[in-house]
Every structure is written in structure tokens, then in C-alpha cells.
Amino acid sequence: QKEVEQNSGPLSVPEGAIASLNCTYSDRVSQSFFWYRQYSGKSPELIMSIYSNGDKEDGRFTAQLNKASQYVSLLIRDSQPSDSATYLCAVNQGSNYKLTFGKGTLLTVNP
Amino acid sequence: GAVVSQHPSRVICKSGTSVKIECRSLDFQATTMFWYRQFPKQSLMLMATSNEGSKATYEQGVEKDKFLINHASLTLSTLTVTSAHPEDSSFYICSARTSGSKTYNEQFFGPGTRLTVL
């Protein structure tokens, strides 16, 4: 069973702080990793993709991938109340292009 | 770029009727589209993978005769919920996969269709 695990939260941080979201996956052959943001009642929005070990930065977001530890994380710097949402970690294992999603972490940024 | 539209955004129907949902990639060609279902406070559940010009591949436990998928062109996939019942009420979301070298395998989601079956 290919699994993607996330802490369901809720994770609560003050405005301006760094929010750290974590995700582990079970299948070692996983190749592509994604973070989606989903506001309540809305569909997921892709915010980061990462394919290689290390860090990838895009604005206030940094994705970190460690394939040896089967771990991917998302850091949100200078968190804003508008970042309050559920963050979904998704992993692609192979050529069928299907994504396996974690259950999501609910982030609340307090003004 | 990478915009996916879905229509309708919301539909209410009577039990036993069929409902058709359209998913379009507006600014790119999508050889592969995916259909998901999401119940309240749960994560996304993949229903099927739709490939242009071929039959859809359904996930285990998803009835292919109930959820008909057609991917007639590189920009359009449709999901028809046949003989809908109240337990089919859910948030149906499609996604389309890009295939460019810089956005390899990224999936972009449509805004979703909220189906309520009375």
C-alpha cells in the first residue's frame, strides 16, 4: 500500500512566523512531489513541485526533499492570514502519472 | 497558464437522473486528465484516469458503468454520473496533467463541481 502521511494538525502559527509542514511517503521509487493548497470549499491549487533532493524556493515558499529519508516538507515564511488553508502533499510513483495524496494539514495563521 | 475549467460549478438533481460534468484545459493540451471525488473533511479520492482517445482507467471500487468518462479531445474530458443517488452527492474535481519539460507531470485542478442529489 503506497502511503503518504501528513500531520493533520491543526497547525497554528502567528502572523509573520515560519510555518513548517511535513510529509513522509512509503514508496521509495517515488519520483515527483507536490504541495497543493486547498481553501475550504475550493479545489486544490498547486503551489510547489520538487523532483530532486534539496531545497526549492519560490517566493515565500520553500520545498525540501530528502529521498533517502522519504521526506518532503514545505516552509512558508512570513506567514499571512491568507495562508490559512489545508495543505496537501502529493506524490507520484511512476509512469502512470497518478498522484497519491496525503490527508492534508490544516494551517491557521493568526493575525 | 495551466488553467482548467469545469462546468457546471454546482448542480442539484433528483435521484435517478444523470448528470454530465465537463472538464477543459484552456491553455494547454492535456493527454491525461483525472477525476477525483472529495467528501466533506476528507482528502481527494482518485476515481479514474482519462486518456485522450482511449478508455478510462478506473480505480478499484469505482463503478465504470455508473461513472462514464469520455476524453474526446486533448482539451476536454467529461464525467457522467448515471442514475445518481443521494450517496453520490460529493465534490467532483478534475485535473489535467501538463507534459512540458519544465512542468513535468504537474496536475492542475479545475474549480470543482458540487453535486447534490435529492
Side-chain angles (χ1 to χ4, degrees):
Chain A
Q1 180 78 13
K2 299 172 182 176
E3 295 182 345
V4 177
E5 299 286 344
Q6 292 181 256
N7 188 328
S8 62
L11 173 65
S12 184
V13 300
E15 184 174 357
I18 296 175
S20 178
L21 304 161
N22 304 314
C23 173
T24 59
Y25 57 95
S26 62
D27 193 335
R28 286 192 170 274
V29 300
S30 299
Q31 299 175 351
S32 314
F33 307 85
F34 307 90
W35 284 99
Y36 287 85
R37 177 175 62 197
Q38 186 174 24
Y39 292 111
S40 181
K42 303 295 185 181
S43 67
E45 172 191 8
L46 179 65
I47 53 174
M48 289 288 284
S49 57
I50 187 166
Y51 310 105
S52 304
N53 279 329
D55 295 358
K56 179 182 177 182
E57 185 174 321
D58 184 0
R60 296 187 295 112
F61 300 99
T62 298
Q64 299 174 317
L65 174 61
N66 184 325
K67 290 187 178 182
S69 300
Q70 295 175 236
Y71 175 91
V72 59
S73 66
L74 179 70
L75 299 177
I76 306 174
R77 290 182 299 282
D78 188 23
S79 295
Q80 301 297 308
S82 59
D83 294 326
S84 298
T86 296
Y87 288 80
L88 301 170
C89 173
V91 176
N92 167 254
Q93 280 92 14
S95 60
N96 61 15
Y97 307 118
K98 295 195 295 186
L99 295 180
T100 300
F101 283 86
K103 293 185 177 180
T105 298
L106 177 61
L107 171 67
T108 300
V109 180
N110 301 305
Chain B
V3 178
V4 179
S5 70
Q6 229 177 296
H7 178 80
S9 59
R10 185 179 295 268
V11 59
I12 301 173
C13 68
K14 293 182 178 180
S15 185
T17 60
S18 294
V19 174
K20 186 176 184 178
I21 303 169
E22 291 188 350
C23 177
R24 294 181 185 273
S25 56
L26 297 186
D27 53 359
F28 66 101
Q29 293 184 329
T31 54
T32 308
M33 291 183 173
F34 303 86
W35 287 96
Y36 295 84
R37 181 165 56 180
Q38 187 175 37
F39 293 104
K41 299 191 183 302
Q42 295 188 23
S43 191
L44 295 165
M45 185 193 82
L46 178 65
M47 300 175 65
T49 302
S50 170
N51 291 297
E52 186 266 337
S54 63
K55 291 184 178 181
T57 303
Y58 291 82
E59 295 300 300
Q60 189 173 7
V62 178
E63 301 175 57
K64 62 181 181 181
D65 295 330
K66 181 171 183 62
F67 300 99
L68 301 179
I69 292 172
N70 184 279
H71 194 153
S73 76
L74 288 172
T75 59
L76 174 64
S77 177
T78 60
L79 168 68
T80 301
V81 183
T82 62
S83 186
H85 292 286
E87 57 266 30
D88 298 322
S89 298
S90 188
F91 190 39
Y92 291 85
I93 318 172
C94 72
S95 72
R97 182 183 71 88
T98 59
S99 56
S101 59
K102 292 186 177 181
T103 59
Y104 173 73
N105 202 28
E106 289 180 341
Q107 287 187 28
F108 294 89
F109 284 84
T113 297
R114 195 161 302 280
L115 171 65
T116 303
V117 184
L118 302 177

